[in-house]
C-alpha cells in the first residue's frame, strides 16, 4: 500500500492513498527524514520512504505546473 504525506498535524501525518482516501498515521511510525509530498510504502508492517516514486511524482507535478504558467 502507498501513502503520500499531505501534511503534518501535531504528532500525526495526514496522508492520501492512491484511491484518494485520507488516513492519519502516527508520525513516530514513519521514517525520521520524511516530509510533505513523500511517498511511503507499507511493507511487512513498517513504513519506508519510496525515493524513486517520490521523485517521479515531484517531476510530474513540476511539469504540470510549467504547463499552467507558460508565458
Amino acid at each position: 500500500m502507498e501513502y503520500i504525506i499531505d501534511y503534518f498535524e501535531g504528532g500525526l501525518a495526514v496522508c492520501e492513498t492512491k484511491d484518494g482516501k485520507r488516513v492519519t498515521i502516527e508520525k513516530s511510525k514513519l521514517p525520521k527524514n520524511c516530509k510533505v509530498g513523500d511517498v511511503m510504502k507499507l511493507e511487512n508492517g513498517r513504513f519506508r520512504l519510496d525515493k524513486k516514486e517520490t521523485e517521479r511524482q515531484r517531476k510530474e507535478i513540476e511539469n504540470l505546473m510549467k504547463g499552467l504558467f507558460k508565458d
Side-chain angles (χ1 to χ4, degrees):
M1 179 67 93
E2 271 188 12
Y3 302 87
I4 301 169
I5 300 174
D6 192 25
Y7 62 93
F8 294 105
E9 188 172 291
L12 298 174
V14 179
C15 304
E16 190 170 315
T17 64
K18 287 259 184 184
D19 59 0
K21 292 180 184 174
R22 293 219 172 214
V23 297
T24 55
I25 301 167
E26 289 180 39
K27 195 173 177 181
S28 63
K29 294 185 178 188
L30 299 175
K32 293 193 186 311
N33 60 339
C34 65
K35 57 190 178 303
V36 171
D38 282 348
V39 177
M40 298 288 141
K41 290 204 175 177
L42 181 59
E43 297 174 341
N44 299 320
R46 298 185 70 168
F47 290 96
R48 76 166 178 83
L49 174 61
D50 187 336
K51 291 179 184 178
K52 274 187 167 181
E53 184 61 16
T54 297
E55 184 62 20
R56 186 196 69 73
Q57 287 192 24
R58 187 192 64 74
K59 285 182 179 179
E60 183 179 321
I61 291 168
E62 188 176 285
N63 288 333
L64 289 170
M65 295 298 285
K66 284 180 184 176
L68 287 174
F69 297 107
K70 282 186 181 178
D71 290 345

